[in-house]
Amino acid sequence: MALTPFATGRDTAGRCLADVVLGRTQAPTGSYVDRGRADRSSDESYDPRREAELWEAAQRFTAS
């Protein structure tokens, strides 16, 4: 993994992700999380129909 001046190391990125999963960082569905801060994402990220379409596509691509 090549790091840029703005990149977070793997350990820090893993902790930030764990904080979201465990609820330490509040991030509503569709949010964009930048390190320890959740921010509003694009309007498309909050569309339940689009989310369902993406989920169904992911299931099709990973089905065995």
Side-chain angles (χ1 to χ4, degrees):
M1 177 171 98
L3 295 178
T4 66
F6 302 106
T8 300
R10 288 180 295 210
D11 292 341
T12 301
R15 281 192 298 278
C16 289
L17 178 59
D19 286 345
V20 173
V21 171
L22 296 172
R24 293 182 191 130
T25 299
Q26 297 298 311
T29 298
S31 295
Y32 171 78
V33 179
D34 180 9
R35 297 172 182 97
R37 182 180 64 87
D39 200 359
R40 182 157 175 83
S41 188
S42 64
D43 289 338
E44 293 85 8
S45 297
Y46 300 93
D47 182 351
R49 186 181 39 147
R50 181 177 176 268
E51 188 174 329
E53 290 172 3
L54 291 172
W55 183 258
E56 290 170 11
Q59 288 182 321
R60 283 194 312 274
F61 296 143
T62 59
S64 51

